[in-house]
Amino acid sequence: MKQTLLAILLLLPYFVQAQLQDSFSDGDFTKSPAWTGDISSFIINSQNQLQSNGPAVTGTMLHLVTPSQAVSGTTWEFWANLKLATSSTNYADIYLIADKEDLEANDVNGYFVRIGNTADEVSLYRKDAGKTAVMIINGQDKTVATSNNIVRVRVTRSVDYEWELSIDVSGAGLNYVSQGTTVDAVHKRSDYFGVLLRYTSANSRNFYFDDFSITDAQPPVLEELQTLNQQELTLRFNEPLTPEQAQSFRNYTLNGSRKPILAELIGERTVRLVFGQPFNVGENALTIASLQDLYGNKLSNPINRSFNFVPPAVMPGYNELLITEIMADETPEVGLPAQEYLELFNATSDKVLTLQGIRYSDATATTTLPNVQLLPGEYAVVVPNSQVQSFSRFGKVIGISNFPSLNNGGELLQLRQPNGRLIYAINYSDTWYKSTSKKDGGWSLEMIDVNNPCGGIGNWAASVNPRGGTPAQANSVSASNPDNTPPSLVDVTAIAPDKLLLRFDERLDSAQAAQTLNYRLNPSLAVAGVRVQGPLFTEATLTLASPLQESLLYTLTTTNVRDCAGNSGSLPVTYTFALPSAPEPGDVVINEILFNPRTGGSDFVELVNRSPKYINLQNWKLANTSGDTISNKKTITTENFVLAPGQYVVLTANPENIKMNYPAAPPAAFLKMSSLPSYPDDAGTVVVLQQDSRIADRFSYSERMHFDLIDDLNGVSLERIRLAGASVASNFHSAATTVFATPGYKNSQLQEGVTAQRVFKVEPLVFSPDGDGVEDFATVNYHTDKTGLVANITIFDAQGREIRKLVRNELLAANGFFQWNGIRDDGTKANIGYYLFYIELFGLNGEKSVHKEKVVLGGRL
């Protein structure tokens, strides 16, 4: 290469702008310039033309080449005379650009003009190594269709790689006709110019050439500027440069004043510049002056080129790459393409982040991000490959092949390094929209403050952009929203005798929260270890040195536990808990049910723990029945939820609806389920299943159980009367019409257990069935010391008239009660006054006893 360059430099005085001029007037083609190849098969004839003189053998191919490095900003001209009828076996290829000396080889790269083929035309071809040549300009047919074809050819290639082919069939060069133009920049290097002939035996001497001219009148053009590192550049030009100017550091200026400490010409067209100080982060400006090509074309004006420099890309660490926008429900379309998307944000101020190999996952699927870089503070939207074009107008777009579908209601999303290390995680929910209309679709969720990446619902909101979102752009809800509040301990559950699960209301500083000194138990038990659980770091598992005791209350005290933002409370935080016990059927029972809600309302089932145990409802189920089969089982909760003795819990799919309809309901009593089993308005069965699949409780209800005098049953629940009683119809009554239902707190119709001092006792002696929740019914309580007793109870008014057959042939338990709500057998309300319960008791051996108890039905006059 150095020898070739030296030879060209020596020739510079002979051709200032022309790289090649050869009319063969000296009668010698082996010098000035030198042609090589099949030199024995060519002659200079008496007209000073280059003429073929090869063997008269069909299929012969001949070639001659001369050095030429012209590739762009160049004009090629020559004269040719083919005294033959051109065909697929008789033609001439004039190589304007070639990277090999042997033009007959198949591995040549370059461009050539073909004179003659089956269409008898002059056309321009591109030759790629190992491949068949491709026509890029198709010349007019039949322009060389005689047996004596004279043509002068001119080809130009601009510095922008636009080709034009023109011919003059007179051969004079005064009447060129364009054969077409094209843009082709595949090959940008040349070493040779030459001719390649193919002929049959009769045409071995019939190819004539003259006036070869290659003219370069354009100065060098900078094609590419590339940063190698923070102090080095490479500059690639479109043609070879003269070394003296190319290697002068004075010809290069960075950012107005800085000169390189080294300017080195690599090969013929590439300059390496080394600077003594790093480039500016961001935009830099380079000025290039006084360069010239090998043919004397010098820059008339300096080249000014700007370039951006960014530090080498690195893998993001924890919270350095964030998910800052989520379009989970894309329909109905508001203004954006109807497509789910995620937005990523480089939260660093000085790092370029590479996304290559980062694993993005939702609850069910994982995909890998492509080789893309994000600059400091840069946003990008992630969509399926098929949607890249649709989102390109908004900003930077990253396409992936298997985009995991986003759940409309919310789910856990994670970004992890290729080695599995966590980068970022978020568990979004449709409650984060804080807008009923926007959560129905077409609007994205946006992070408010990107400097508060650990913030949950408080740092997210529905987009306010009219399009419905801001993919690959700063969020429309962007604002300062720092986290200044320390974490709160919201729950402690003993998940094993020696393990506690702690739940906090926000993300923790996982390293600091893992210190055992931050936790203390009373009664005293040592904490042996702490593990803060990812990916959200809102839960910590404490391992105890010795086991907890059942039914014993413990108090956990936490101190100095910091959140992700560094906040910690100044005062200790305490929480009281107990080790859950194994449940038995009947420990947790159905306490209240709303199966006929108001229009637009929701069902609920209330449970109560009537045992002295602490019972964990994790993986319990709520069900109904189909015939005699328990069916439609729904998991109450997959999380730990410990029910203390006497504690209520309300199960519903829509807590907000229940709270709106029954404002006295305590919010802490609700446990949201994704859906409840079907509980029809007319009748049905509620079944509660323990984790071990045993039936905890079962209650078959009917709308006929409601108090007959209630005009509108919609929105009125059935309540358990006595906590210790069985889950049967006689132990349930309509809630008082003053409240309609009591979700999460004491039933309006609750009665404490009454122990009969004799066989039968009425309580209260005066009742008023007006639905106000105060003594709305009377109970006939009984206590027997025998088994197998059967009772009939008939109610008479003060005049001795029978008004109600309350009980007929009822087999009694050891203890129990019957209720009368003041309704006659005909469904009307009895009048105010005295009434008599006439009770007949029958034994297994035929014995019979009669008991009479009085009651007063009161009311407002």
Side-chain angles (χ1 to χ4, degrees):
M1 181 63 71
K2 290 182 178 179
Q3 292 177 346
T4 302
L5 184 59
L6 178 60
I8 294 174
L9 289 174
L10 292 174
L11 291 172
L12 280 178
Y14 300 100
F15 51 96
V16 177
Q17 289 191 334
Q19 188 183 113
L20 176 68
Q21 289 282 0
D22 201 344
S23 61
F24 307 104
S25 59
D26 59 358
D28 188 354
F29 63 86
T30 63
K31 60 183 179 181
S32 300
W35 295 76
T36 58
D38 298 318
I39 57 176
S40 63
S41 295
F42 288 88
I43 62 171
I44 305 298
N45 62 24
S46 59
Q47 285 79 37
N48 289 329
Q49 298 167 341
L50 180 68
Q51 180 182 353
S52 61
N53 188 31
V57 177
T58 297
T60 298
M61 297 183 71
L62 305 177
H63 77 276
L64 281 182
V65 296
T66 189
S68 173
Q69 295 171 308
V71 288
S72 62
T74 302
T75 300
W76 293 266
E77 291 185 88
F78 58 90
W79 175 90
N81 182 7
L82 276 60
K83 295 182 179 182
L84 51 87
T86 66
S87 66
S88 62
T89 55
N90 289 281
Y91 59 81
D93 291 342
I94 294 82
Y95 267 86
L96 313 177
I97 292 173
D99 67 344
K100 298 288 191 304
E101 185 175 6
D102 184 3
L103 300 183
E104 299 175 32
N106 192 37
D107 61 347
V108 175
N109 288 299
Y111 299 89
F112 63 83
V113 172
R114 176 166 289 176
I115 302 175
N117 55 26
T118 55
D120 298 324
E121 64 190 12
V122 180
S123 299
L124 181 66
Y125 287 75
R126 186 184 75 239
K127 176 66 172 67
D128 301 326
K131 297 181 180 179
T132 302
V134 178
M135 183 187 296
I136 59 174
I137 296 179
N138 184 2
Q140 182 180 348
D141 293 353
K142 306 301 181 182
T143 54
V144 287
T146 70
S147 60
N148 184 29
N149 300 292
I150 297 174
V151 64
R152 189 172 290 271
V153 178
R154 182 176 66 196
V155 181
T156 62
R157 192 191 199 191
S158 73
V159 293
D160 296 320
Y161 302 102
E162 181 178 6
W163 294 87
E164 182 174 15
L165 169 65
S166 301
I167 64 172
D168 181 352
V169 294
S170 72
L174 301 176
N175 188 27
Y176 279 110
V177 176
S178 177
Q179 303 298 292
T181 62
T182 189
V183 174
D184 192 303
V186 173
H187 301 309
K188 298 180 180 180
R189 176 189 170 188
S190 179
D191 291 307
Y192 297 96
F193 171 88
V195 296
L196 174 66
L197 312 180
R198 182 183 181 94
Y199 58 81
T200 56
S201 60
N203 295 316
S204 63
R205 293 175 53 83
N206 292 340
F207 294 86
Y208 299 82
F209 300 96
D210 203 355
D211 298 336
F212 286 113
S213 172
I214 303 176
T215 305
D216 177 358
Q218 299 294 325
V221 174
L222 179 63
E223 288 188 330
E224 181 180 16
L225 182 152
Q226 183 178 11
T227 57
L228 297 180
N229 53 51
Q230 60 184 352
Q231 293 178 236
E232 292 189 43
L233 292 175
T234 58
L235 312 176
R236 189 170 65 82
F237 292 85
N238 69 322
E239 59 182 329
L241 305 174
T242 55
E244 182 179 357
Q245 289 84 2
Q247 298 188 136
S248 174
F249 69 89
R250 296 181 180 88
N251 291 334
Y252 309 94
T253 306
L254 179 66
N255 296 329
S257 61
R258 293 165 54 188
K259 297 292 184 180
I261 60 175
L262 175 67
E264 178 185 12
L265 183 62
I266 303 173
E268 300 163 343
R269 300 188 301 153
T270 302
V271 177
R272 171 175 170 254
L273 300 180
V274 180
F275 292 86
Q277 294 179 333
F279 304 127
N280 296 338
V281 175
E283 187 169 326
N284 293 263
L286 180 70
T287 300
I288 306 168
S290 301
L291 298 190
Q292 67 180 32
D293 61 20
L294 295 179
Y295 321 113
N297 300 304
K298 189 175 182 179
L299 293 176
S300 58
N301 295 303
I303 297 173
N304 295 300
R305 179 67 62 89
S306 296
F307 66 94
N308 282 311
F309 172 74
V310 294
V314 297
M315 185 63 61
Y318 182 63
N319 279 353
E320 290 185 338
L321 179 66
L322 308 179
I323 296 172
T324 51
E325 188 171 348
I326 302 168
M327 177 66 84
D329 188 356
E330 72 278 19
T331 55
E333 183 177 338
V334 174
L336 294 171
Q339 171 60 50
E340 297 177 355
Y341 66 77
L342 287 179
E343 179 184 80
L344 300 181
F345 174 69
N346 180 345
T348 70
S349 61
D350 58 356
K351 295 181 182 179
V352 178
L353 302 181
T354 178
L355 308 187
Q356 186 174 20
I358 288 177
R359 303 199 313 250
Y360 156 58
S361 62
D362 65 1
T364 59
T366 298
T367 190
T368 302
L369 299 183
N371 185 13
V372 176
Q373 295 182 359
L374 283 186
L375 301 178
E378 187 176 20
Y379 295 87
V381 61
V382 181
V383 296
N385 284 328
S386 60
Q387 291 292 322
V388 169
Q389 188 63 36
S390 300
F391 281 82
S392 60
R393 67 183 184 272
F394 303 117
K396 191 165 193 170
V397 187
I398 300 171
I400 55 179
S401 59
N402 50 340
F403 187 92
S405 179
L406 297 168
N407 291 340
N408 294 351
E411 61 180 323
L412 175 66
L413 306 178
Q414 300 183 62
L415 298 173
R416 291 184 178 272
Q417 295 179 359
N419 61 10
R421 186 170 299 170
L422 181 68
I423 298 173
Y424 185 68
I426 185 171
N427 193 11
Y428 73 93
S429 166
D430 59 7
T431 60
W432 290 17
Y433 287 95
K434 309 179 185 81
S435 167
T436 303
S437 60
K438 289 185 176 181
K439 83 172 185 177
D440 288 338
W443 297 86
S444 72
L445 280 172
E446 296 182 344
M447 183 183 284
I448 297 171
D449 189 348
V450 296
N451 296 311
N452 180 18
C454 298
I457 186 173
N459 197 39
W460 286 76
S463 176
V464 296
N465 188 284
R467 294 193 306 259
T470 55
Q473 301 169 4
N475 290 343
S476 62
V477 299
S478 178
S480 177
N481 186 36
D483 178 3
N484 299 317
T485 305
S488 295
L489 181 61
V490 296
D491 184 62
V492 177
T493 303
I495 56 176
D498 63 343
K499 281 187 171 53
L500 301 180
L501 179 63
L502 281 57
R503 287 195 300 113
F504 292 84
D505 66 342
E506 59 176 322
R507 303 188 195 193
L508 305 178
D509 177 336
S510 58
Q512 190 271 345
Q515 300 177 20
T516 59
L517 295 177
N518 295 333
Y519 309 93
R520 188 175 68 256
L521 279 168
N522 185 32
S524 180
L525 286 176
V527 178
V530 181
R531 183 172 66 89
V532 182
Q533 298 171 209
L536 296 177
F537 303 116
T538 58
E539 297 182 343
T541 301
L542 273 57
T543 301
L544 308 179
S546 52
L548 301 163
Q549 298 181 35
E550 286 190 13
S551 301
L552 178 63
L553 284 177
Y554 292 86
T555 299
L556 175 72
T557 301
T558 67
T559 54
N560 300 320
V561 175
R562 292 199 300 260
D563 64 14
C564 175
N567 303 303
S568 63
S570 57
L571 298 175
V573 177
T574 61
Y575 196 96
T576 301
F577 69 96
L579 176 66
S581 301
E584 293 295 331
D587 286 345
V588 175
V589 295
I590 300 159
N591 195 51
E592 186 175 359
I593 175 173
L594 179 67
F595 54 86
N596 52 343
R598 298 166 182 156
T599 301
S602 299
D603 292 357
F604 74 77
V605 174
E606 181 190 75
L607 307 181
V608 64
N609 181 0
R610 64 181 184 182
S611 77
K613 305 173 185 176
Y614 289 83
I615 296 175
N616 193 344
L617 299 185
Q618 184 182 36
N619 294 326
W620 283 41
K621 291 180 172 59
L622 199 61
N624 57 19
T625 58
S626 176
D628 295 330
T629 303
I630 296 174
S631 61
N632 201 16
K633 301 174 184 177
K634 304 281 188 179
T635 300
I636 292 174
T637 177
T638 58
E639 306 292 332
N640 290 289
F641 189 92
V642 177
L643 208 60
Q647 183 181 349
Y648 304 98
V649 63
V650 182
L651 310 178
T652 179
N654 196 340
E656 296 305 318
N657 180 276
I658 303 300
K659 296 172 193 175
M660 178 181 67
N661 283 287
Y662 308 99
F670 285 83
L671 188 55
K672 182 178 180 179
M673 295 177 59
S674 57
S675 63
L676 264 63
S678 173
Y679 297 124
D681 288 359
D682 54 348
T685 300
V686 182
V687 182
V688 181
L689 299 170
Q690 298 176 171
Q691 185 179 13
D692 58 10
S693 298
R694 290 188 296 171
I695 298 175
D697 195 23
R698 176 177 180 145
F699 172 54
S700 295
Y701 67 88
S702 167
E703 63 180 352
R704 293 190 301 273
M705 295 180 188
H706 276 295
F707 183 44
D708 290 342
L709 298 184
I710 297 178
D711 295 329
D712 184 3
L713 298 177
N714 292 321
V716 179
S717 69
L718 284 177
E719 297 179 330
R720 180 181 288 268
I721 298 172
R722 292 188 183 171
L723 188 60
S727 296
V728 294
S730 61
N731 196 27
F732 279 80
H733 193 278
S734 300
T737 54
T738 55
V739 292
F740 301 102
T742 54
Y745 61 101
K746 182 179 178 180
N747 290 350
S748 62
Q749 302 292 9
L750 179 68
Q751 279 191 358
E752 302 298 335
V754 177
T755 303
Q757 300 299 320
R758 49 191 187 274
V759 177
F760 294 96
K761 180 182 179 181
V762 176
E763 182 73 23
L765 293 176
V766 179
F767 74 106
S768 55
D770 52 13
D772 63 357
V774 180
E775 298 178 340
D776 281 338
F777 53 88
T779 57
V780 180
N781 304 281
Y782 64 85
H783 173 75
T784 67
D785 54 3
K786 295 181 180 180
T787 59
L789 296 178
V790 176
N792 291 327
I793 302 178
T794 306
I795 302 173
F796 296 90
D797 62 13
Q799 287 72 41
R801 292 172 294 191
E802 179 181 323
I803 66 164
R804 178 78 180 267
K805 289 182 172 63
L806 185 65
V807 173
R808 280 294 176 267
N809 298 320
E810 186 77 25
L811 181 64
L812 303 184
N815 297 279
F817 71 96
F818 302 103
Q819 61 163 295
W820 182 45
N821 55 12
I823 302 300
R824 304 170 183 265
D825 280 335
D826 62 6
T828 61
K829 182 180 177 181
N831 296 325
I832 295 172
Y834 286 94
Y835 291 87
L836 177 71
F837 291 104
Y838 183 79
I839 307 168
E840 298 173 290
L841 197 60
F842 303 91
L844 290 174
N845 299 319
E847 64 267 39
K848 175 182 177 182
S849 59
V850 174
H851 306 264
K852 299 176 183 179
E853 301 291 339
K854 293 180 180 179
V855 70
V856 176
L857 192 158
R860 296 175 182 173
L861 298 175

